[in-house]
Amino acid sequence: MVKTFKFRPLEDSGRFFIGIDVGMTGAVSVINAKGELMSCCRMPVCKYGKRTEINITDFSRLFKIKGKVMSVIVEEVYAFGMGRTSAFSFGKNQGMILGVVQTLRLPTKRITPQEWQKVMLAGLPRKDKTKESANKKAIYLFPELEDILDVKANQGIADASLMAEYGRLMYSRGSRGFLK
């Protein structure tokens, strides 16, 4: 079972935006239409033989939300620079994530890291400082993450939370792919 950090009840039947940082060290974050962080967790994983894979059963349970999911923002990352086995594994995990989200018929928007970082990290240092900047911005927007992001393994939570907020902002602006 995956440890989920819950900040507000998900049963208020509101509108929600979900950010997913794909990958084994990724995360899932849920925010409401007001931009309040509702819950977040690291990507649920399990051992399958010698390999570690995304636990699809636990992952699919994360979407039991009473309310309307307005958009699921999934980071679209390419496997450049990886070996064949790693690239295959990464692509398989990304495909399983998209399969669950689309099977649940949730409105999905795939975005590149550059796309969401351009908006969410505007004015902050990038390149080798991107992770630090993402943590700072996530804590600024969601102060309840401060202690959680002290743990390096929780870095994906900062990214997933910022992606969810990016989706909420684009939806509220009526941007292409986020139409109301």
Side-chain angles (χ1 to χ4, degrees):
M1 203 63 174
V2 65
K3 179 177 168 87
T4 303
F5 303 100
K6 294 185 180 180
F7 306 106
R8 292 168 185 81
L10 289 172
E11 288 81 33
D12 66 4
S13 300
R15 298 181 318 163
F16 300 101
F17 297 84
I18 300 172
I20 301 175
D21 179 6
V22 299
M24 304 305 256
T25 60
V28 178
S29 287
V30 180
I31 66 171
N32 66 16
K34 297 177 198 169
E36 299 169 320
L37 185 63
M38 305 302 286
S39 69
C40 60
C41 68
R42 288 188 215 166
M43 187 62 68
V45 295
C46 63
K47 283 285 190 188
Y48 185 73
K50 293 180 181 179
R51 297 183 311 263
T52 302
E53 293 185 349
I54 292 175
N55 185 328
I56 286 301
T57 303
D58 283 351
F59 178 77
S60 62
R61 286 185 186 129
L62 298 173
F63 296 93
K64 291 187 177 180
I65 297 173
K66 293 180 182 168
K68 182 168 177 144
V69 175
M70 304 309 291
S71 190
V72 178
I73 297 80
V74 180
E75 190 171 43
E76 187 159 72
V77 184
Y78 300 97
F80 293 118
M82 291 184 185
R84 285 182 286 184
T85 304
S86 295
F88 178 80
S89 180
F90 186 82
K92 181 176 78 169
N93 287 331
Q94 189 172 22
M96 289 191 303
I97 288 169
L98 288 169
V100 167
V101 171
Q102 292 175 351
T103 297
L104 295 171
R105 296 179 182 243
L106 299 173
T108 306
K109 176 75 174 156
R110 294 191 261 179
I111 58 170
T112 64
Q114 295 81 7
E115 187 178 347
W116 70 264
Q117 289 171 3
K118 180 179 177 183
V119 173
M120 299 308 298
L121 302 181
L124 296 171
R126 301 271 291 282
K127 298 197 179 188
D128 62 335
K129 302 277 188 194
T130 302
K131 288 186 186 302
E132 287 175 30
S133 294
N135 275 356
K136 286 179 184 174
K137 182 67 177 243
I139 291 168
Y140 174 77
L141 293 173
F142 312 110
E144 57 270 44
L145 288 178
E146 188 166 11
D147 291 336
I148 294 166
L149 295 180
D150 277 347
V151 178
K152 186 177 181 182
N154 290 337
Q155 169 61 44
I157 290 174
D159 292 353
S161 300
L162 292 174
M163 282 186 270
E165 175 62 6
Y166 172 82
R168 187 187 73 82
L169 290 172
M170 295 300 106
Y171 181 86
S172 67
R173 294 176 187 166
S175 294
R176 185 177 178 179
F178 293 95
L179 301 177
K180 296 183 181 182

